[in-house]
């Protein structure tokens, strides 16, 4: 197929053509998966590095695009497996903030700080509603009565807080692999 034989024979010009032809598609694939420009760029580069390293094993019967995206899928799965070890629940974040938790890695400490800092940037009422819901476990009805607002307003504040926090956290260039426990308790 086009380019494969040339790349297998160490043709750098053919490899560059493939790079320029597929980089944007590969970058878009990773960006959709990670929601991080930085991580998408890194993973796209890693894909092409592996393509070059393993060029001698390329199949001449399979289109180059299929082989590139097979490598990409493998790299993404490997990245998820590595990051899975860094997942923490919101309980651990709050326990850490209160001095009761211990984290094993710098990444989890940084994540806890990022979450905590992000919560502090919320507008005052939104922050209060969010904390009453997530930290104190209060229902929307209880919060509404306490703050003299409607339960629908409580729901709107929480929805907006979650959206804002997701944006702030993703701007921190941290790949979030969010487990069900984290989603249910926090977002």
């Amino acid at each position: 197929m086009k380019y494969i034989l040339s790349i297998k024979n160490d043709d750098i010009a053919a490899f560059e053509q493939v790079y320029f032809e597929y980089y944007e598609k590969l970058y878009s694939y990773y960006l959709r998966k990670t929601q991080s420009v930085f991580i998408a760029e890194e993973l796209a580069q890693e894909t092409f590095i592996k393509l070059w390293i393993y060029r001698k094993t390329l199949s001449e019967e399979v289109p180059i695009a299929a082989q590139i995206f097979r490598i990409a899928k493998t790299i993404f799965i490997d990245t998820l497996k590595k990051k899975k070890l860094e997942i923490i629940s919101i309980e651990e974040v709050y326990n850490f903030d209160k001095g009761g938790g211990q984290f094993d890695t710098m990444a989890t400490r940084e994540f806890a700080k990022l979450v905590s800092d992000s919560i502090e940037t919320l507008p005052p009422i939104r922050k209060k509603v969010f904390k009453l819901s997530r930290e104190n476990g209060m229902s929307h009805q209880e919060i509404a009565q306490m703050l003299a607002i409607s339960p629908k307003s409580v729901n709107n504040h929480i929805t907006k807080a979650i959206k804002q926090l997701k944006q702030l956290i993703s701007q921190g260039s941290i790949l979030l692999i969010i487990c069900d426990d984290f989603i249910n308790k926090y977002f």
Side-chain angles (χ1 to χ4, degrees), residues 2-3 6 9-10 12 21-22 30 40 60 65 71 75 81 101 103 110 113 126 128 130 132 140 154 158:
K2 188 177 177 182
Y3 300 119
S6 298
N9 291 322
D10 304 329
I12 293 175
E21 190 172 327
Y22 290 98
Y30 283 128
E60 293 176 41
I71 293 168
I75 288 172
K81 287 177 183 175
F103 289 104
E110 289 174 10
K113 180 159 179 31
R126 191 173 299 160
K128 184 170 189 140
F130 187 79
L132 288 171
H140 290 198
V154 170
I158 291 173

Side-chain angles (χ1 to χ4, degrees), residues 98-160:
K98 295 173 188 171
Q102 296 297 319
F103 289 104
D104 297 325
T105 67
M106 182 62 113
T108 54
R109 284 191 294 274
E110 289 174 10
F111 177 72
K113 180 159 179 31
L114 180 62
V115 170
S116 182
D117 291 349
S118 296
I119 290 170
E120 292 307 312
T121 66
L122 294 172
I125 187 72
R126 191 173 299 160
K127 178 170 64 173
K128 184 170 189 140
V129 168
F130 187 79
K131 283 185 169 187
L132 288 171
S133 172
R134 297 314 195 253
E135 284 183 12
N136 299 350
M138 294 176 70
S139 70
H140 290 198
Q141 188 64 39
E142 291 170 327
I143 296 168
Q145 288 175 349
M146 179 182 200
L147 300 177
I149 59 176
S150 74
K152 186 166 177 72
S153 292
V154 170
N155 188 54
N156 288 340
H157 280 297
I158 291 173
T159 301
K160 288 177 182 178

